[in-house]
Amino acid sequence: MPDPVSRRTFVSASLCTALTAAASTACAQQGGSTRIFDVADHGARGDGTTDDAAAFQRAIDAAAAAGGGVVRFGAGTFLLRLRPAEDKTGVEAITLRSRVTLQGTDRNRSILRLADGQRGTGTYARIVSSTGSLVGAVVRDCTIDANRTGQGAFRDDGNGGALVLGLGGRCENVAVERVTIRGANGQAIMLLGAIDNLGRNLRIADCLVERASYIGIQSSQFDGLVIERNTVTDCVDNGIDIYGNNDVTHSTVATSRNGVLRGNTIRNCSIGIFLETVADCRTIENDITDCRGAGIRVNRINGEPRNLSILNNRITGGPVGVAMGGDTGGVTIGTNIVRGFSKAGVLFGYNVSYVTITGNQFFPAAPSVPIVLGEPIKLGRDPEEQLAFITIRGNRVPRGHRADRMFVNRYRKEWQINAGDFRPTLG
């Protein structure tokens, strides 16, 4: 059943190891004896004033024509201006090709900078883009300065993004590594698939994202995704967002599956990690601070969130630790440390089912704050919202926390709720 609060338009440790190995193998195939194409040899200046977009494109196209290679750019600020996109959807600066690695020296010295005044009304704009399916491509060791402040009246547009790969096709064996993106209009990093052509073996690792006007890191329609050790701060919308609804047939089966979100640091975003209509995903060992809506949210549109593990995360500040909306096929919230929440450690809204909350440590902002709160969006809805198959056990709370605020349930319809015990043992 759709979650009325949704506004989207758009595994196991062994799985994580396998995906990382696959991505590393794809990267290795780009190196070694693979040819090097230096953008300087194709006319790039890196002086911060010359438009270097055409030189980058010549180097990328030469590498692609040779069957693949590394397009290398050294120290400098490479100014980029936008041009009509090859896919005729908006504008872009650089079009990445399959089997091409775009590689700087490092993120401190190799900077791609969008020129001032490139955005316009309703413009779907991308700095680094691709046309259709993208296979065996890598972007690494550079900074993309998306220059949001230089876009004038359009500085807060959310249409497009800095690094958008797979639009109109899919990404397969694609990695983004050690990339800094500052001030993106829209999303900072997007790796995409399609409902009938899922992205596969995707990896976003060791990146820094700051001040995006929409989402920091997003991936949708995938089978096999690793997002690890990234830092995402100060985004207007979600820090990390993965999505798998079938917006065509409205199937109850989530299209995106087999993902690992691990070891990321997220601060001051709307929601830290947003898991929307995805299956077989693990959200583990992330550090999430001061997010305005919730640290982590699980949401359902049509596709059923299924077999999700939210484990060993540290969530600090904000109103809610973990929020849930929509019936699920099984979500475990376990062994997390949730501190300083002002509304609820775990919040249920709308219909929610098949959730286990176990072994967590909750440190609310005050003794009156509910540890777990069941709060329907609208009482008296037809049919009435309900909780079903909820298990809460073995969670630790501070000594002196009010007994009547452990599990506050405002639902009028429920089925098989086992609230279990809360252990007031924390100092």
Side-chain angles (χ1 to χ4, degrees), residues 174-185:
V174 171
V176 181
E177 303 170 332
R178 301 184 298 276
V179 174
T180 293
I181 299 183
R182 295 192 172 98
N185 277 114

Side-chain angles (χ1 to χ4, degrees), residues 38-351:
D38 197 304
V39 297
D41 296 333
H42 293 266
R45 301 285 294 275
D47 57 11
T49 58
T50 302
D51 181 4
D52 286 323
F56 270 78
Q57 197 62 58
R58 288 191 291 269
I60 290 169
D61 290 347
V70 175
V71 172
R72 183 174 63 191
F73 56 107
T77 297
F78 298 86
L79 192 73
L80 304 175
R81 296 186 183 278
L82 300 177
R83 56 178 169 79
E86 289 186 6
D87 62 7
K88 304 188 186 305
T89 303
V91 291
E92 63 193 3
I94 297 171
T95 306
L96 191 61
R97 310 292 188 200
S98 293
R99 292 171 291 280
V100 173
T101 292
L102 182 62
Q103 180 165 337
T105 300
D106 59 55
R107 66 176 85 200
N108 294 319
R109 291 180 288 175
S110 298
I111 300 169
L112 306 176
R113 186 176 191 275
L114 185 65
D116 289 348
Q118 298 298 293
R119 301 286 301 206
T121 302
T123 302
Y124 191 82
R126 295 151 285 170
I127 300 173
V128 180
S129 184
S130 63
T131 298
S133 291
L134 184 69
V135 180
V138 182
V139 181
R140 63 158 72 103
D141 295 324
C142 63
T143 286
I144 300 176
D145 178 1
N147 189 20
R148 180 178 161 194
T149 58
Q151 304 313 306
F154 306 102
R155 67 183 304 278
D156 294 327
D157 280 7
N159 198 16
L163 179 58
V164 181
L165 304 178
L167 183 68
R170 72 166 180 176
C171 292
E172 180 179 0
N173 296 324
V174 171
V176 181
E177 303 170 332
R178 301 184 298 276
V179 174
T180 293
I181 299 183
R182 295 192 172 98
N185 277 114
Q187 281 88 341
I189 301 173
M190 295 183 74
L191 298 186
L192 303 173
I195 292 169
D196 56 354
N197 191 20
L198 298 179
R200 299 185 187 278
N201 296 331
L202 312 179
R203 184 168 184 256
I204 303 170
D206 302 302
C207 295
L208 171 63
V209 171
E210 299 176 323
R211 302 185 301 278
S213 70
Y214 193 34
I215 293 168
I217 295 173
Q218 185 179 50
S219 187
S220 64
Q221 317 303 348
F222 59 81
D223 186 358
L225 168 71
V226 175
I227 300 177
E228 62 182 353
R229 300 188 306 274
N230 303 284
T231 298
V232 183
T233 67
D234 302 299
C235 294
V236 172
D237 204 87
N238 306 324
I240 297 175
D241 183 309
I242 59 176
Y243 179 77
N245 197 57
N246 186 326
D247 298 315
V248 177
T249 68
H250 309 297
S251 170
T252 59
V253 178
T255 55
S256 291
R257 55 185 178 266
N258 297 332
V260 178
L261 284 62
R262 176 179 62 190
N264 300 286
T265 299
I266 304 165
R267 298 192 301 273
N268 194 32
C269 297
S270 175
I271 292 171
I273 294 177
F274 197 102
L275 311 170
E276 187 157 42
T277 57
V278 296
D280 305 315
C281 293
R282 290 165 56 86
T283 301
I284 55 176
E285 300 172 2
N286 301 284
D287 193 340
I288 304 169
T289 304
D290 291 337
C291 288
R292 297 179 294 279
I296 297 173
R297 179 172 174 83
V298 177
N299 200 63
R300 178 174 183 173
I301 301 179
N302 305 107
E304 180 182 66
R306 175 174 290 273
N307 189 25
L308 305 183
S309 299
I310 300 171
L311 306 173
N312 300 324
N313 300 284
R314 297 168 299 280
I315 304 172
T316 304
V320 176
V322 181
M324 304 279 302
D327 286 318
T328 82
V331 177
T332 299
I333 303 169
T335 58
N336 303 284
I337 299 175
V338 186
R339 295 181 179 273
F341 52 91
S342 58
K343 183 173 182 177
V346 177
L347 173 66
F348 298 136
Y350 198 55
N351 296 319

